[in-house]
Amino acid sequence: MQDINSAVETLVQSSNTYFLLIGAIMVFAMHAGFAFLEVGTVRHKNQVNALVKIITDFAVSCVAYFFIGYWIAYDTTFFSSASELAANNGYDLVKFFFLMTFAAAIPAIISGGIAERAKFYPFLLASAVIVAFVYPFFEGIIWNGNYGFQSWLESTTGYAFHDFAGSVVVHGVGGWLALVAVYFLGLRKGRIKDNKLIAFAPSNIPFLALGTWILCVGWFGFNVMSAQSMDGISGLVAMNSLMAMVGGILAALWAGKNDPGFIHNGPLAGLVAVCAGSDVMHPIGSLFVGLIAGLIFVFLFTKIQQTKKFDDVLGVWPLHGVCGAWGGIAAGIFGLDILGGLGGVSFTAQLIGTAVGIIVALVGGAIVYGLVNKITTIRMTEEEEYHGADLSIHSIGSVNQE
């Protein structure tokens, strides 16, 4: 009997490790989606830079999170023997891999907002600092109970802040950090002609669409595998993700008036918003969350294109920042049992937790980008920007420069 129990325990542990490993690989693959979404949106002379940024940001994020960020968030380091690290089929190592792909999504999100005029190495430095300190600070508060914030919320409102898969922790923080970076950089050259603000059209809709498809597929690993174990897996999370995704598509189709750029960002808006409450909402509630997120993105991105204050190339602030905030708040609405949800959430707690996430991102972003900008200029020169990041940074001229 003892041998049977031991075998079952080993099987369960190895299954959990494999389950989380598949999730980590799926979220890792999403970074290709970030890359192609940016490649399809920026002008031809900046496409190579978009690809290089995403993969190098991932590498820098991995190292920063391995040595500092994961320690800050979960009080765990890897300075022990390989035999100790490999215990329980290496589940703890795979957990790091999974959560690291979340952390690396922060610079990938920011990358889309700062495209076409940001210097390469200064923003790599900023990415390292953000993933090492800013992101894990808030991640640890929400997902590890650090500093007593969740306990305080629970005693004050009755429930802790609920963010199952990172609407606020990942996407919201990334989007509001991007807003700060975009503010520091200012408008791209050529956006104003004859005292009129013009928009640059996406350079490659097929690449943009490919990026969206990769992200949509990987997102089911992002959300479902956030359970982090086989016994926590829920078909409800998958169904809610699906319904929010199609809700975002339909809203963007209508509000965006058949524009392919809006249509392919619509599902991402819905998926961003559903992350927080995907484990507690009813599928019909998730559909409404996605519909509203799609409308938010189209409306705000259109407004951004008409202002001279911000030049958010991919619209990452409305997509990740605002839709992420909406997702955090929506979990406190559509997660309530009175609206068909599973309950266990508080609107007040969701509102406070979301606001704190935004504050951490804005303050952290102001400190990081402010310091980096003082140490070294974060904006390319006018000549470098004119020639494009591909030629100016990577010494590769594009086939078709604009």
Side-chain angles (χ1 to χ4, degrees):
M1 182 62 72
Q2 186 175 357
D3 290 341
I4 294 176
N5 290 337
S6 179
V8 170
E9 185 178 343
T10 300
L11 178 62
V12 170
Q13 189 62 58
S14 60
S15 297
N16 286 335
T17 301
Y18 183 69
F19 169 76
L20 199 54
L21 176 61
I22 295 301
I25 293 170
M26 290 180 71
V27 183
F28 175 40
M30 288 175 69
H31 289 262
F34 284 120
F36 280 103
L37 189 68
E38 185 172 338
V39 168
T41 304
V42 300
R43 289 169 291 177
H44 290 95
K45 61 185 179 182
N46 298 295
Q47 289 181 327
V48 173
N49 178 247
L51 293 169
V52 174
K53 278 192 301 178
I54 299 298
I55 198 166
T56 51
D57 269 333
F58 187 88
V60 167
S61 297
C62 181
V63 173
Y65 197 64
F66 181 86
F67 285 105
I68 304 173
Y70 197 66
W71 169 55
I72 289 176
Y74 300 102
D75 196 24
T76 300
T77 65
F78 299 96
F79 301 108
S80 53
S81 67
S83 61
E84 291 177 299
L85 295 175
N88 298 321
N89 299 100
Y91 176 83
D92 291 338
L93 298 178
V94 173
K95 180 180 178 181
F96 162 79
F97 182 14
F98 181 69
L99 292 173
M100 184 277 295
T101 59
F102 280 49
I106 300 294
I109 291 168
I110 296 169
S111 176
I114 65 172
E116 300 200 313
R117 76 272 199 209
K119 282 195 171 183
F120 185 61
Y121 285 106
F123 270 92
L124 273 184
L125 173 61
S127 295
V129 175
I130 285 169
V131 175
F133 298 101
V134 180
Y135 168 73
F137 170 74
F138 187 65
E139 177 192 19
I141 286 175
I142 303 304
W143 285 344
N144 197 46
N146 294 354
Y147 308 114
F149 175 73
Q150 289 283 47
S151 298
W152 172 79
L153 266 184
E154 191 168 1
S155 64
T156 304
T157 69
Y159 295 99
F161 177 65
H162 187 89
D163 192 355
F164 180 70
S167 283
V168 179
V169 174
V170 179
H171 299 284
V173 168
W176 288 90
L177 280 165
L179 181 67
V180 178
V182 167
Y183 172 78
F184 271 95
L185 287 171
L187 291 176
R188 286 169 288 174
K189 300 299 181 183
R191 285 294 314 278
I192 299 178
K193 288 186 178 180
D194 299 325
N195 205 32
K196 292 182 179 179
L197 195 63
I198 65 168
F200 297 138
S203 61
N204 193 312
I205 295 296
F207 273 161
L208 188 157
L210 175 62
T212 292
W213 277 105
I214 294 172
L215 284 166
C216 285
V217 172
W219 221 297
F220 286 87
F222 195 100
N223 283 3
V224 175
M225 270 73 167
S226 285
Q228 299 187 23
S229 64
M230 292 287 285
D231 61 350
I233 192 170
S234 172
L236 181 64
V237 176
M239 178 59 80
N240 284 337
S241 300
L242 177 67
M243 296 304 287
M245 181 187 77
V246 299
I249 295 171
L250 295 175
L253 171 66
W254 175 77
K257 300 177 181 179
N258 304 328
D259 182 280
F262 284 134
I263 292 170
H264 283 92
N265 275 284
L268 307 183
L271 286 165
V272 165
V274 80
C275 287
S278 57
D279 63 326
V280 295
M281 294 190 295
H282 189 282
I284 297 176
S286 295
L287 177 63
F288 278 102
V289 169
L291 286 167
I292 295 170
L295 295 176
I296 288 172
F297 174 74
V298 173
F299 174 77
L300 285 182
F301 186 72
T302 301
K303 288 296 182 182
I304 286 176
Q305 292 300 309
Q306 298 170 352
T307 179
K308 297 178 181 179
K309 294 181 179 180
F310 298 100
D311 190 3
D312 185 348
V313 181
L314 268 67
V316 297
W317 173 66
L319 181 64
H320 296 274
V322 181
C323 288
W326 158 238
I329 295 169
I333 301 172
F334 293 97
L336 298 172
D337 52 9
I338 196 172
L339 291 178
L342 297 181
V345 292
S346 160
F347 175 76
T348 304
Q350 295 304 116
L351 195 62
I352 294 172
T354 300
V356 170
I358 293 172
I359 292 169
V360 169
L362 291 176
V363 174
I367 293 172
V368 173
Y369 292 118
L371 288 175
V372 172
N373 196 38
K374 282 191 176 295
I375 295 170
T376 176
T377 307
I378 62 176
R379 171 99 188 220
M380 294 166 61
T381 65
E382 188 170 345
E383 182 179 0
E384 289 172 334
E385 192 175 335
Y386 173 78
H387 290 297
D390 295 355
L391 188 61
S392 299
I393 297 174
H394 309 290
S395 301
I396 295 178
S398 62
V399 176
N400 181 17
Q401 289 198 12
E402 294 180 357

